Amino acid sequence: MIETSTPPGAVRSAGVRRITLEAAGSTLSALLSEPAQLPPRAVVLALHGGGITSGYFDGTAHPDVSLMTLGAALGFTVLALDRPGYGASGARFPQGQALAEQAEAVRAAVAAFAAQHATGGGFFLLAHSWGGKLALTMAGDAEHPHDFLGVDVSGCGHRLALDPAADGQDRDALLMLRNWGPPQLYPPGTFRATQAALSPMPVRELAAIIGWTRTCDEVLARIRIPVRLTFAEHEAWWRHRDEDLADLSALLGGAPRVLIERQPAAGHNLSLGWAARAYHLRALGFLEECLRG
């Protein structure tokens, strides 16, 4: 593990530092926050979505937003990885990687981290949007069915909610609506503070969005650890009506416990909004329950 300097324009919360990890022949960057008292209760492995880096989990527009600082304050280490194609690996994988390739690289990074750090009760997957596909894929790895304590995902479902009537809208305006929802859901300064964390979405990830809807049923059926899925009130990428969530829950029949919840007053980028603290506390509470078995 190597500690690195803050990229130009990036701001971090107190106690959050940037590191790199060697992973399957590549170098992945990450943000790391550790509790004052070690060993930690567990390690939260946070995986960001598409078009943004690990900075998603360290929102700096308001002190209540950062998962990194909240997790450390509650006794957890939070390791937010830049997925392959982002951060330090962006130049090496400009087109990104497929889900299986990313899963291999992330597992290698986890092993490298565990070789140098106390991990407490183990690793817990917490992911957003495209990172949720990766987390669920890792959770459903038949060769490693119990490597993680549990998995908590927001902003990722199994059936896309694309609106044909929106095809004629301005693309940037449409993406803004789907990714954020109403602006008042976020602390003032959020969009300015988030600029340094934005990153182009690799083309292989764009191609995999539709592919996920064809493969996720099999992935979800293989999961054998506790699962919690959260859909924001203003989630616009994924269907989340009652019948959609019932269908999604049925696909997770092999998991020992499944929670599917809605987060009121929140948009797709849940961990950057006013609802972030409530969501993060519930996610970490789910981790506590997973630790107790």
Side-chain angles (χ1 to χ4, degrees), residues 121-286:
F123 287 87
F124 176 82
L125 292 162
L126 189 153
H128 174 250
S129 195
W130 209 101
K133 302 176 181 64
L134 176 57
L136 292 167
T137 297
M138 295 173 68
D141 186 340
E143 295 184 8
H144 308 276
H146 302 293
D147 277 6
F148 300 100
L149 295 163
V151 56
D152 191 292
V153 170
S154 67
C156 180
H158 69 315
R159 301 291 181 261
L160 284 166
L162 299 178
D163 181 7
D167 288 347
Q169 292 185 16
D170 176 78
R171 181 178 180 276
D172 290 341
L174 181 59
L175 287 175
M176 182 71 175
L177 176 64
R178 289 193 179 278
N179 287 334
W180 297 94
Q184 64 269 24
L185 299 176
Y186 301 88
T190 294
F191 305 113
R192 181 176 62 254
T194 306
Q195 285 300 310
L198 298 179
S199 179
M201 189 171 183
V203 294
R204 293 184 70 183
E205 292 195 0
L206 286 169
I209 293 176
I210 299 298
W212 172 251
T213 64
R214 296 192 294 267
T215 62
C216 69
D217 291 17
E218 182 180 348
V219 170
L220 297 175
R222 292 197 301 263
I223 295 177
R224 298 293 183 269
I225 59 175
V227 179
R228 179 174 177 268
L229 304 174
T230 300
F231 292 87
E233 178 183 353
H234 297 278
E235 172 61 52
W237 283 108
W238 302 97
R239 296 179 185 176
H240 52 97
R241 296 170 300 182
D242 289 347
E243 56 267 36
D244 300 317
L245 301 189
D247 181 47
L248 181 55
S249 181
L251 293 171
L252 289 160
R257 187 181 183 205
V258 177
L259 295 177
I260 300 182
E261 302 181 1
R262 289 189 174 91
Q263 182 66 52
H268 176 74
N269 283 333
L270 179 52
S271 285
L272 292 169
W274 286 117
R277 183 174 177 84
Y279 164 63
H280 294 153
L281 284 169
R282 291 189 179 102
L284 295 172
F286 182 59

Side-chain angles (χ1 to χ4, degrees), residues 4-69:
T4 62
S5 59
T6 303
V11 177
R12 294 198 301 258
S13 299
V16 178
R17 63 187 193 272
R18 192 169 186 264
I19 64 170
T20 59
L21 294 165
E22 294 306 309
S26 62
T27 300
L28 299 185
S29 48
L31 293 180
L32 176 64
S33 182
E34 295 178 293
Q37 298 294 323
L38 294 173
R41 295 184 54 71
V43 178
V44 177
L45 177 62
L47 302 170
H48 62 85
I52 196 166
T53 65
S54 56
Y56 172 81
F57 295 106
D58 186 33
T60 57
H62 190 278
D64 284 351
V65 172
S66 175
L67 170 70
M68 308 294 299
T69 58

